[in-house]
Amino acid sequence: ETQFCSQFFIAPEHKAACIIPQKQVSMNLINTFSLFILSRIALASASDSPSNGNLRREGKPDARLLRELVSAFTREDDVAPSSSGFHDFMSPGSTSALVDSFESFGKIDLTREEAESLCLTKCKNNSACKAVWVESTPGFPGLKDNHRCVMYDPELGPVAKSSQVPCNRGRENTIFTKKSAAVEIPDFDSRCNVPAPGDDTAAAVFCLLDPSSNPDCGTLVTNDFLQYILPAITCGSDETIGGGSDAVTACLECLQGGTIDDVNEEIASFCLTDPAFSRIRGDCREVCYENDDGLNFTSCEAALQTALLCDIASVNRCGGAIIDPPYVCPATDV
């Protein structure tokens, strides 16, 4: 029970048993926010002396000093990392490559250039930081643009990067790696090559029934789709266990309707068997596991889990998990 009592896995409605970890998370957020504010003040008030590390002149980063700072890093645009996956799920935090992070929360008026200056300065001054991811997102009404810095040491645990084209709309994602660190954040060794969830998945199914139904059938029906997604659909379509097209649709809609932002918490919702945590045996039990109307999908649970794990490791998913084929849930006691 302790193993999974973590902010990474437990949905808000199940966090009553995790009061202490929640307080720790809150303090971490407060400390992070304070660090960012103090760093902002330091940048704004420092003198122009290079010895003080000042990167600002007349309210803007000093171009020469900024170039010198950037030159110490290798820059990769339009990519973002992930350090979540089975390793974190089975042993939360014990193999984490994450060193430090902070965020402006849309409260501080920073340009993208200023955010990069601050993030790179923090990474440069932190010997444990070997790479830093800088993400900028347009602010919501009433808020300024949000900037986030996440620092990593790939030697501490798994971390991988992938193109974030599916979620790059309006966002800027860049990874800076210290040249002196002699490390790199590798590409995902394997991402499940399946369509994006939702309409594309449905279109792929229709392609199997009628290859002329969609001009994109050739790209929608991939080998990974046939191997990791289709078995769940086929199993659920078996009328002898109360299945059929309507039953499959109801189950998939329920599972996709409860998407969780945190990857590790999402893995838990697929792989844990306790109905308090499991989406298949819990919230979606009536349409994905068994009910009094004759539906009995218990024999389909493994296939559903594989399909869901393949989806969160998909090349078409924003972010994603570090999970290798064959996308099978690890054994757990929960």
Side-chain angles (χ1 to χ4, degrees), residues 42-62:
L43 280 173
S45 61
S47 70
D48 285 340
S49 170
S51 63
N52 287 334
N54 178 42
L55 292 174
R56 299 175 61 88
R57 284 182 182 168
E58 298 180 356
K60 296 182 180 179
D62 183 282

Side-chain angles (χ1 to χ4, degrees), residues 194-214 216-222 225-226 228-237 244-246 248-249 252 256 307:
V194 294
D199 292 341
D200 283 351
T201 299
V205 174
F206 280 114
C207 285
L208 295 176
L209 301 174
D210 180 8
S212 64
S213 64
N214 191 314
D216 296 325
C217 281
T219 57
L220 290 172
V221 182
T222 64
F225 176 81
L226 295 174
Y228 301 117
I229 303 294
L230 186 60
I233 297 172
T234 302
C235 183
S237 299
S245 59
D246 290 344
V248 171
T249 300
L252 293 179
Q256 293 176 352

Side-chain angles (χ1 to χ4, degrees), residues 51-186:
S51 63
N52 287 334
N54 178 42
L55 292 174
R56 299 175 61 88
R57 284 182 182 168
E58 298 180 356
K60 296 182 180 179
D62 183 282
R64 180 180 61 82
L65 295 177
L66 180 56
R67 284 196 301 271
E68 291 179 0
L69 180 61
V70 171
S71 68
F73 293 81
T74 299
R75 178 184 187 125
E76 293 182 89
D77 290 317
D78 298 326
V79 294
S82 172
S83 59
S84 299
F86 278 164
H87 58 282
D88 241 359
F89 171 68
M90 296 304 296
S91 186
S94 64
T95 57
S96 177
L98 194 149
V99 172
D100 198 2
S101 66
F102 53 92
E103 189 168 356
S104 69
F105 298 101
K107 300 292 186 180
I108 305 170
D109 189 11
L110 285 175
T111 65
R112 169 69 182 191
E113 191 176 52
E114 289 172 330
E116 288 184 3
S117 299
L118 182 56
C119 294
L120 292 179
T121 299
K122 290 297 178 185
C123 184
K124 178 183 177 181
N125 295 334
N126 186 339
S127 60
C129 176
K130 305 295 176 61
V132 58
W133 167 37
V134 184
E135 180 190 50
S136 300
T137 308
F140 291 104
L143 293 175
K144 301 173 177 63
D145 289 352
N146 187 57
H147 303 283
R148 180 162 59 127
C149 308
V150 183
M151 292 178 248
Y152 295 95
D153 180 355
E155 296 179 334
L156 295 180
V159 58
K161 68 178 185 294
S162 65
S163 171
Q164 296 300 284
V165 174
C167 64
N168 247 0
R169 297 168 189 153
R171 297 186 182 186
E172 289 187 67
N173 285 297
T174 303
I175 296 177
F176 295 90
T177 306
K178 279 182 179 176
K179 292 179 180 178
S180 61
V183 299
E184 65 176 356
I185 295 180

